[in-house]
Amino acid sequence: MATRGKIIKTETPEQLRLLRPMVVRRTELLLDRSKCCGCNVCRLVCPREAISVTVGQVTDGRMTAAPVVNIDESLCSLCGECAASCPVHAYEMTVDGKPEIPVIRFEAFPNLLRANRVNQAAASASTETGYIAACPTGSISATIERDEEGHVTAVSQVEVNRRTCISCTRCMEQGPAGAFTVTKPYQGRVYLDVSLCPEGCQACADVCPSKTIRYDGARVSVDERFCIHCGACEHICPAPGAIRNERRLIMHTPIESGAWAKALDKLVSYREVSAEYDRKGQVRRRRAVVKGLLREMVE
Ligand code: SF4
Ligand code: SF4
């Protein structure tokens, strides 16, 4: 077949799909554009520089067109570094129909630690359910019982969809005490200088996937607790320097690979790459802890 071994690309405004239909290995990469926030993490880590991002459009201070990611199929090797790093789960990868990210499978890239553990006893101890609607990705479900007047009388079977949860920690902060324990993979600081914001601009709030940025009718503000350090705000901001994301740490499973060192260098500072090598001495001790976390992620 003429297409065997080559990557076939199909795209619509909603999704982009790359497929390599080998006889023994059928690899597929799917980008869900409705989840993509244009953060550029995939573009930064791609070792083939196959990814480009068109900046979202801002008109009169509002985002009028979302950022658009494109992948050049002639450059892409379907390694999966984009899928492994995406902070918002916009990518999905399968091999022969089963979820698999080759670069993780072949131990060239780590798993990001994105656990969200639910303590059912703590979650059921409260009838306050506002945190379910507050989840920015609609990732929380629960069985809710109500009386005849519609008041909540019992909450049970609280679950988090780990394929959509972006680890913003809002449920941990605003849900019942002790109900959620979230590990945030990207950590750092976000700096906002409202003196540089054009009047009435709220483009960063429009693009922010974790609803960390709010606009109160006069100016934007950031609640850093919920920031996932994607950087989408910085990319759409029409006033350079008004908002800045600084990634300082990435929580991940132990790894020793050049591919990861390069990706880390682009995503965080050189200081962090050095610190990563310093930590290698502690890797074995951490491994037991991480194994436990991973077990909980797949359960
Ligand atoms: S961490 Fe954020 S995205 Fe994940 S379930 Fe909690 S509120 Fe939703
Ligand atoms: S405030 Fe944080 S989560 Fe929101 S777009 Fe900026 S970096 Fe991303």
Side-chain angles (χ1 to χ4, degrees):
M1 299 215 328
T3 56
R4 206 174 281 164
K6 279 191 182 167
I7 294 178
I8 302 164
K9 174 174 167 180
T10 48
E11 68 181 312
T12 65
E14 293 77 34
Q15 70 171 39
L16 184 154
R17 180 170 171 259
L18 297 184
L19 174 69
R20 183 160 56 203
M22 303 280 279
V23 175
V24 289
R25 225 174 128 78
R26 184 184 166 91
T27 309
E28 187 170 2
L29 176 68
L30 198 66
L31 168 66
D32 180 343
R33 287 188 161 135
S34 70
K35 288 184 184 169
C36 175
C37 58
C39 67
N40 278 252
V41 166
C42 58
R43 181 184 65 77
L44 288 171
V45 299
C46 176
R48 298 284 191 95
E49 299 185 0
I51 300 179
S52 57
V53 183
T54 305
V55 181
Q57 264 176 32
V58 179
T59 311
D60 297 331
R62 300 302 304 261
M63 182 175 75
T64 47
V68 178
V69 164
N70 199 5
I71 306 177
D72 183 338
E73 72 276 23
S74 70
L75 296 175
C76 177
S77 64
L78 287 177
C79 64
E81 290 194 19
C82 49
S85 316
C86 179
V88 293
H89 305 286
Y91 288 94
E92 269 182 41
M93 245 190 133
T94 56
V95 175
D96 297 331
K98 294 185 188 135
E100 180 184 314
I101 298 179
V103 79
I104 292 180
R105 178 167 176 227
F106 296 110
E107 299 186 351
F109 235 62
N111 272 295
L112 299 188
L113 298 182
R114 329 185 191 226
N116 188 342
R117 283 175 285 157
V118 183
N119 179 325
Q120 292 297 336
S124 301
S126 170
T127 51
E128 202 292 305
T129 57
Y131 63 92
I132 297 175
C135 170
T137 55
S139 298
I140 306 174
S141 61
T143 301
I144 297 174
E145 292 168 40
R146 296 176 189 273
D147 63 17
E148 285 172 0
E149 288 166 346
H151 300 125
V152 177
T153 55
V155 177
S156 60
Q157 292 178 301
V158 178
E159 284 174 17
V160 171
N161 183 343
R162 293 189 177 94
R163 292 170 69 85
T164 56
C165 168
I166 57 173
S167 310
C168 71
T169 71
R170 193 178 292 274
C171 53
M172 188 164 81
E173 296 282 341
Q174 299 182 342
F180 299 90
T181 308
V182 181
T183 304
K184 195 184 273 200
Y186 291 105
Q187 301 188 10
R189 295 294 312 270
V190 61
Y191 301 96
L192 172 66
D193 182 350
V194 287
S195 71
L196 297 175
C197 297
E199 197 181 337
C201 184
Q202 49 186 302
C204 56
D206 288 339
V207 83
C208 176
S210 64
K211 297 191 170 41
T212 290
I213 306 174
R214 303 276 180 183
Y215 181 69
D216 65 5
R219 57 176 57 187
V220 287
S221 61
V222 173
D223 187 337
E224 268 200 90
R225 290 175 300 166
F226 309 130
C227 177
I228 60 169
H229 299 289
C230 63
C233 49
E234 189 177 319
H235 288 286
I236 202 161
C237 177
I243 194 158
R244 190 165 59 82
N245 173 50
E246 187 179 288
R247 271 180 229 104
R248 293 182 177 174
L249 181 68
I250 304 180
M251 302 292 285
H252 61 84
T253 52
I255 188 92
E256 290 185 42
S257 89
W260 175 241
K262 275 187 196 156
L264 200 59
D265 195 25
K266 289 176 187 163
L267 292 175
V268 296
S269 66
Y270 173 74
R271 206 178 44 176
E272 174 59 21
V273 180
S274 312
E276 179 89 2
Y277 283 111
D278 290 345
R279 281 195 294 271
K280 293 269 163 68
Q282 303 171 18
V283 161
R284 280 175 193 81
R285 269 171 285 159
R286 280 183 60 210
R287 202 160 274 162
V289 177
V290 171
K291 263 188 185 167
L293 270 173
L294 274 176
R295 210 174 300 126
E296 284 169 27
M297 285 165 68
V298 295
E299 275 170 7

